[in-house]
């Protein structure tokens, strides 16, 4: 018996657990939700139809977190990043919509794997980055966001700079929301946004509320650095499994 997105009850159950875990990561670190969930989904199904649901969930979670982050957002960084992303997104969406399921799964897993390695290297930036530098990273992020993981290049870039944890988390949350708001109309134009998108997001709401609440409580009581490292290791493991599945 198939339900939403032609998924069976068992598949939906597994994805629900992944959704809760990814929401917890988002509540704690400010990023990783889309990459974790989509990397996990790619192991059991075609992730493309789920990408609009994930973006809608990101927007919902930002509404849940807005009160606690609004005083910590670096709007200068957000604006420059979104400018670059807006330039790249129309092209990247057209590319991802033209490829097949296996290619999409390979692209998602490979990008997650590469970005996870960047986060693990301890890459650091010692000089002040101009707005053009942030716009350039936004272009890379926009290209990756067609596969639902546009936050990872930005997370890698910000992690390498001396940014306070609260500012990092708040800036990532707001940037990802803006990125999703730009991307969703393009996905709708490409036919990926359907009634199932709204139903899926509605069904996910209780898990999102619980995951974000738990993650936000943990953030208030501890530095996000350790957990961010854990999230990256999880992404690396999931993307490795995704790559292996494509070639077997």
């Amino acid at each position: 018996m198939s339900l939403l997105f032609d998924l069976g009850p068992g598949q939906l159950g597994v994805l629900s657990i992944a959704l809760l875990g990814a929401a917890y990561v988002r509540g704690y670190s400010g990023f990783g939700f889309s990459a974790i969930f989509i990397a996990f989904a790619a192991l059991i199904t075609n992730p493309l139809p789920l990408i609009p649901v994930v973006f809608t969930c990101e927007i919902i979670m930002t509404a849940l977190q807005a009160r606690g982050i609004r005083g910590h957002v670096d709007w200068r960084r957000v604006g420059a990043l979104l400018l670059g992303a807006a330039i790249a997104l129309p092209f990247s969406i057209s590319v991802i919509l033209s490829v097949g399921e296996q290619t999409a799964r390979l692209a998602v897993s490979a990008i997650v794997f590469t970005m996870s390695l960047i986060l693990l290297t301890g890459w650091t930036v010692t000089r002040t980055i101009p707005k053009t530098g942030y716009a350039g990273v936004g272009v890379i992020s926009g290209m990756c966001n067609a596969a639902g993981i546009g936050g990872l290049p930005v997370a890698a870039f910000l992690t390498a700079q001396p940014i306070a944890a609260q500012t990092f988390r708040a800036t990532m949350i707001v940037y990802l929301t803006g990125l999703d708001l730009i991307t969703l109309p393009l996905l709708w134009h490409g036919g990926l946004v359907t009634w199932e998108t709204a139903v899926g997001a509605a069904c996910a709401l209780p898990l999102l509320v619980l995951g974000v609440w738990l993650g936000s409580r943990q953030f208030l009581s501890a530095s996000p650095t350790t957990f961010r490292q854990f999230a990256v290791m999880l992404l690396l493991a999931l993307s490795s499994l995704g790559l292996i599945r494509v070639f077997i």
Side-chain angles (χ1 to χ4, degrees):
M1 179 179 66
S2 63
L3 302 172
L4 280 174
F5 302 105
D6 294 322
L7 297 170
Q11 290 174 305
L12 286 174
V14 171
L15 289 178
S16 295
I17 296 172
L19 184 78
L20 178 61
Y24 178 85
V25 172
R26 160 65 184 258
Y28 187 22
S29 67
F31 76 99
F33 173 81
S34 296
I36 289 174
F37 182 77
I38 292 173
F40 198 94
L43 299 177
I44 61 175
T45 187
N46 175 15
L48 283 180
L50 297 175
I51 290 177
V53 178
V54 170
F55 290 168
T56 305
C57 289
E58 289 266 19
I59 295 168
I60 292 172
M61 287 186 292
T62 298
L64 297 173
Q65 295 177 284
R67 184 176 179 181
I69 66 171
R70 59 189 177 190
H72 303 287
V73 180
D74 189 327
W75 293 103
R76 181 184 67 87
R77 287 185 168 102
V78 169
L81 287 164
L82 285 177
L83 176 62
I87 294 171
L89 273 168
F91 173 74
S92 65
I93 294 294
S94 64
V95 170
I96 203 70
L97 290 176
S98 66
V99 302
E101 176 182 342
Q102 284 291 86
T103 304
R105 186 173 291 154
L106 175 61
V108 169
S109 298
I111 295 171
V112 171
F113 184 84
T114 302
M115 291 301 106
S116 298
L117 289 179
I118 292 174
L119 287 170
L120 286 173
T121 61
W123 173 57
T124 58
V125 176
T126 57
R127 62 185 181 86
T128 301
I129 307 298
K131 288 184 179 181
T132 52
Y134 285 95
V137 174
V139 169
I140 297 172
S141 173
M143 294 298 296
C144 292
N145 209 49
I149 52 174
L152 283 180
V154 176
F157 188 57
L158 295 184
T159 299
Q161 300 176 57
I163 301 173
Q166 287 184 324
T167 301
F168 172 91
R169 178 172 174 263
T171 300
M172 283 298 306
I173 289 170
V174 171
Y175 170 70
L176 290 172
T177 304
L179 188 65
D180 295 338
L181 288 171
I182 296 172
T183 308
L184 275 173
L186 297 172
L187 293 177
W188 174 82
H189 181 72
L192 283 179
V193 178
T194 66
W195 70 271
E196 285 188 305
T197 302
V199 174
C203 292
L205 182 58
L207 294 174
L208 298 178
V209 172
L210 177 60
V212 167
W213 178 71
L214 290 173
S216 296
R217 285 191 61 186
Q218 184 67 22
F219 176 79
L220 293 175
S221 63
S223 168
T225 303
T226 301
F227 194 81
R228 194 178 301 131
Q229 188 79 358
F230 166 79
V232 173
M233 291 300 297
L234 178 60
L235 287 170
L236 190 61
L238 290 173
S239 59
S240 298
L241 290 174
L243 289 170
I244 292 170
R245 183 179 176 187
V246 169
F247 292 109
I248 61 175

